[in-house]
Amino acid sequence: MSIGVFDSGVGGLTVLAALRQALPQADLLYLGDTARVPYGTRSAQTVAAYASDCARWLLARGCEQIVIACNTASAYGAEPVRQLAQGRPVHEVVGAGAAAAQRQGGQSGIAVLATRGTVGSGAYAVALAEALPQTPVREVACPLLVPMIEEGWYDHPAMDAAISTYLGTLSGFDYDRLILGCTHYPLIKARLQAVVGS
């Protein structure tokens, strides 16, 4: 089985690692579109075009399935990619994130940290309303995180300041689940946990 995975940059490597662990026999091909990162600040039309370009490249190399390992590309590009795939399976991460929040369970709300594009798309709001219709959801756009992650600033003081600022906007919102709505964000999970725990 040949699976093509794409993301706007290095963030999708977190999805690739999970796929490698879950499907050790699969032939995985990864495309990180670092020339055009970040996607989260681009228009819906631009992201859909970029997602189509990436899918076309992977399909031309014989991939039998496509994984859109980018939340913004999942929000704006899933349908164009499905059309290009012509019946081959296409998996995206927004629906997967909502399903994971549903499986985890909880008693209060769900916070979503994501790019400006993903938040603006409303994709998580729709997916979570379908999966957990009575659960309050608050989304926070975090436009500075992807550029800092791409620069490798995982432990930089600016990273902690940005995380504190973004999480500070959730003050007063009762939540027990935090969705990392960008595949770059697991790379700073330790920093996020440190700020959430403080």
Side-chain angles (χ1 to χ4, degrees):
M1 171 173 43
S2 174
I3 303 173
V5 183
F6 75 87
D7 183 65
S8 63
V10 300
L13 293 173
T14 59
V15 175
L16 186 72
L19 285 169
R20 186 175 291 131
Q21 185 174 0
L23 302 167
Q25 303 305 315
D27 181 17
L28 302 172
L29 179 60
Y30 182 77
L31 172 60
D33 189 10
T34 55
R36 301 184 292 195
V37 70
Y39 283 11
T41 58
R42 314 273 184 173
S43 71
Q45 295 80 7
T46 298
V47 173
Y50 289 176
S52 296
D53 289 346
C54 292
R56 214 175 273 113
W57 189 88
L58 292 166
L59 291 165
R61 281 148 185 83
C63 292
E64 301 165 277
Q65 297 188 40
I66 299 292
V67 175
I68 306 174
C70 171
N71 287 265
T72 307
S74 293
Y76 293 126
E79 281 313 307
V81 169
R82 285 189 180 99
Q83 290 173 15
L84 284 168
Q86 297 181 340
R88 285 169 279 199
V90 174
H91 312 279
E92 50 81 22
V93 290
V94 171
Q102 183 181 36
R103 284 193 306 273
Q104 187 176 5
Q107 301 301 313
S108 55
I110 298 173
V112 181
L113 301 183
T115 66
R116 187 173 283 135
T118 300
V119 170
S121 75
Y124 267 104
V126 170
L128 289 166
E130 289 175 4
L132 298 159
Q134 303 303 316
T135 304
V137 175
R138 173 122 9 125
E139 297 176 88
V140 179
C142 307
L144 296 177
L145 297 186
V146 169
M148 287 194 284
I149 291 167
E150 287 284 330
E151 286 294 323
W153 289 10
Y154 305 122
D155 297 319
H156 196 282
M159 179 67 80
D160 287 347
I163 290 170
S164 294
T165 299
Y166 293 138
L167 289 175
T169 66
L170 293 167
S171 178
F173 178 64
D174 184 22
Y175 65 100
D176 55 9
R177 285 158 287 176
L178 179 64
I179 293 177
L180 304 183
C182 173
T183 50
H184 283 73
Y185 298 173
L187 296 169
I188 56 165
K189 187 176 178 181
R191 302 311 312 145
L192 287 162
Q193 286 176 325
V195 174
V196 168
S198 60

